Amino acid sequence: MQHMTRRNILRAGATLAAAPFLPAWAADDAAKPASEAKPKSRLILLGTAGGPTPKPNRAAPAQVIVVNNTSYVIDCGNGVARQMILAKLKLASIRNVFLTHHHSDHNADYGNLLLLAWATDLAKRVDTYGPPPLAEMTAQFLALNDYDIRTRIADEGRPPLKDLIVPHEISAGGLVMQDDNVKVSAALVEHPPVEPAFAYRFDCPDRSIVISGDTRPSQNLVKLAQGADVLVHEVMHLPSLEQLIATEPNAKTLREHLLASHTTTEQVGRIATEAGVKTLVLSHFVPGGYPFLKDEVWFDAVRPYYSGNLVVGHDLLEL
């Protein structure tokens, strides 16, 4: 049965439902009358690569949680707007954007996502959350694109974009926001030299989903993820690290950063076990492009340390 589970997970394409088991929340809801079923949350991995350089096989880091046709975007790596379109999501459905930290693979398209959504059909307020200097970043992005924005307002009758984006800077863990669909909490994680960096927990009507952001092993994250239904966690394959580093001009500095600020396959398995999460989803793969690693490599490296539902993430995978 364990072999069948592993094989089927690795073959799963678009949804977790293709796997031979379902998370507990799915089984519980399936047994309820339609009138009692809770709104289903959708988690879509928009991009699963790690690092700032574009990869041929994975998009830059980003996730979206959808509840009641409302989208909550977590991180905005390069190309996130196009990834949302490929996931068949309307850009106008974006209500909130959350940044885990200010590395370019996580925030490069923060402004672009909102600009492109506005240029498409976004006409409602979007609240954004992240570490300082989020407010200054937002203002500078609007200034950078002022010509295009003014032109489209005059030529296409669009509302002023500056009135639609409301940034909120967060510097400590705790409750971030709550609406009719989700309750969002944050925890400080460790991703030196970047401070602050956050993980986010989304308590949805049907389940809880935690996004680790970039971090080395963190007890704050373990507490945030305690008993969660789904944990999406970054992962680094240590045996392949030396091969990756050998291709970089700043090999020594890169090696020190990766070892000090990220989480290995063994460590992520132990974190998920300690937190008691039901499903662990691997993402933000390092290496994410070269050297190329098959799903089985990632799966087998984590499985000895975590016995729950284990998913090797892919771009546009929906869970």
Side-chain angles (χ1 to χ4, degrees), residues 237 239 265-266 269 295-305 310:
H237 190 256
T265 50
E266 175 180 345
D295 288 1
E296 290 89 342
V297 174
W298 295 104
F299 189 98
D300 291 343
V302 175
R303 175 50 84 202
Y305 311 101
L310 178 58

Side-chain angles (χ1 to χ4, degrees), residues 258-278:
L258 290 173
L259 293 177
S261 59
H262 291 279
T263 304
T264 67
T265 50
E266 175 180 345
Q267 290 169 334
V268 72
R270 294 189 184 279
I271 288 167
T273 297
E274 185 178 355
V277 301
K278 297 179 179 66

